[in-house]
Amino acid sequence: MDRGANWIGTMPTADLHTHSTASDGELAPAALVEKARALGLSTLALTDHDNTLGVAEARAAARLVNLEFIPGIEIEIDFEPGEFHLLGYGIDEAAPPLVEAVERLSHARLERNLAILDRIAKANLPLDLDSIEAFSKTSYLGRPHLADLFVEAHCARTRQEAFDRYLGKGKPFYIKKACLALEEALSVIDAAGGVSVLAHPYSLFVSKDVLGTIFSQLKAKGVRGIEAYHPTAKYGQCVILERMAHERGMFVTAGSDFHGKTRPECGLGRTSGNKPIDIRFRDELVAALESRI
Ligand code: AMP
Ligand code: ZN
Ligand code: FE
Ligand code: FE
């Protein structure tokens, strides 16, 4: 269904892809909810990387201000050539298979982080490695935090430059971390009562033809939706993704991928082309959640 360019309203009403301090976001879960409320959003999904530690706080804060809250997670999937992120919505964060998978991912992350830190130490770069003690060993530490260390040590001007020179795929301090296979992530989200959505499809880094084939394969495996609208893609490209998803009977979402000041291009409640996120995306997702068997 192509509604053209005018169907998005002028005011943001929802955000279905956000990060808090439980992963690499700037705002604590409750502060994120307050910001959403202040902007006039009626629905917020929290989708931290590889963990659900912020869900309880966000849920409680949302209840207080009468905001609809959708618990979520963004899981990294083993994939080449690009990055495959799978969003799980409407999950029960206490479901044992999800808890077990999240623990495993956290362990793999810790091992990978220690390996990168070891490599940095051996390279004798002037990074303040002690400052990461501020993150406990059990809490989330990601490459974006490590990138900040490069910036603080004046080895890079920005987070992005730190990725481009040191931490991105194929760069000297990149070390692959073990992540879930698609089938496993799907079964974990399913066991937690959730619905799976492919995040920002262009990060897969494949051509549009291949993308169409991948959408069909994902649908067959149980992925129900496509995040067609994301700030990293041009608006026209997002419209194409929406059409491709709907042609295959998949629903479509939109998100900001809000992280806070570190990604100023991703304002809360806004998506590709800085457009406010329309409530119909929330409606498509909620309809899918309600039709779960
Ligand atoms: P991690 O899970 O610790 O490996 O960090 C992954 C996160 O780092 C992603 O979710 C992105 O936010 C960020 N990231 C990964 N690759 C890049 C890149 N090439 N440029 C900028 N940010 C990146
Ligand atoms: Zn992130
Ligand atoms: Fe992502
Ligand atoms: Fe994200």
Side-chain angles (χ1 to χ4, degrees):
M1 203 175 331
D2 184 5
R3 293 173 176 83
N6 294 323
W7 50 261
I8 291 188
T10 50
M11 293 295 290
T13 52
D15 202 327
L16 304 173
H17 186 155
T18 67
H19 295 270
S20 75
T21 47
S23 62
D24 57 348
E26 180 200 358
L27 299 180
L32 182 65
V33 168
E34 275 155 34
K35 186 175 172 77
R37 208 13 152 191
L39 284 170
L41 304 194
S42 58
T43 302
L44 180 77
L46 179 66
T47 53
D48 273 310
H49 297 286
D50 297 340
N51 85 80
T52 57
L53 293 171
V55 163
E57 180 182 320
R59 182 188 287 118
R63 197 169 290 144
L64 282 180
V65 296
N66 207 16
L67 185 93
E68 179 181 47
F69 176 68
I70 301 175
I73 188 166
E74 183 176 20
I75 301 178
E76 185 176 355
I77 307 294
D78 226 342
F79 185 81
E80 293 287 338
E83 290 200 24
F84 187 146
H85 292 181
L86 188 71
L87 294 158
Y89 289 108
I91 43 164
D92 168 10
E93 74 271 22
L98 178 61
V99 172
E100 190 276 323
V102 161
E103 271 170 14
R104 210 152 16 101
L105 289 172
S106 158
H107 186 73
R109 173 173 294 283
L110 175 62
E111 301 260 288
R112 190 280 316 255
N113 289 344
L114 292 173
I116 296 181
L117 291 172
D118 190 49
R119 200 176 275 185
I120 292 172
K122 288 201 173 109
N124 277 323
L125 290 175
L127 268 57
D128 179 12
L129 298 186
D130 292 338
S131 69
I132 60 155
E133 296 286 316
F135 301 91
S136 87
K137 288 233 183 327
T138 51
S139 75
Y140 180 100
L141 178 66
R143 279 184 289 156
H145 302 109
L146 298 174
D148 289 344
L149 295 186
F150 282 89
V151 175
E152 279 157 26
H154 302 287
C155 292
R157 271 166 303 175
T158 60
R159 244 190 201 190
Q160 188 56 52
E161 191 184 313
F163 269 96
D164 294 345
R165 292 179 57 189
Y166 304 108
L167 290 160
K169 241 180 197 173
K171 302 302 170 189
F173 296 94
Y174 174 76
I175 295 177
K176 189 172 158 49
K177 85 180 167 315
C179 46
L180 296 189
L182 175 63
E183 289 71 17
E184 191 180 8
L186 286 171
S187 90
V188 161
I189 291 170
D190 193 51
V195 158
S196 295
V197 172
L198 171 66
H200 41 70
Y202 288 119
S203 76
L204 294 175
F205 222 62
V206 298
S207 71
K208 269 214 200 74
D209 288 349
V210 176
L211 210 48
T213 310
I214 290 180
F215 282 12
S216 300
Q217 288 167 347
L218 293 180
K219 167 104 194 296
K221 289 184 176 180
V223 176
R224 305 260 317 265
I226 299 290
E227 184 187 54
Y229 294 85
H230 186 273
T232 52
K234 290 211 169 77
Y235 184 73
Q237 300 296 312
C238 298
V239 174
I240 293 171
L241 291 179
E242 167 161 28
R243 195 174 303 138
M244 287 168 62
H246 281 160
E247 277 166 8
R248 289 166 177 78
M250 301 171 92
F251 72 88
V252 162
T253 69
S256 68
D257 211 346
F258 180 76
H259 281 73
K261 281 202 278 292
T262 54
R263 291 207 204 156
E265 72 281 13
C266 305
L268 192 63
R270 291 180 176 271
T271 190
S272 173
N274 202 28
K275 299 216 188 297
I277 297 172
D278 190 82
I279 199 70
R280 76 180 187 87
F281 295 111
R282 172 265 174 208
D283 294 345
E284 290 204 28
L285 173 58
V286 169
L289 290 173
E290 284 171 354
S291 70
R292 278 176 297 188
I293 10 156

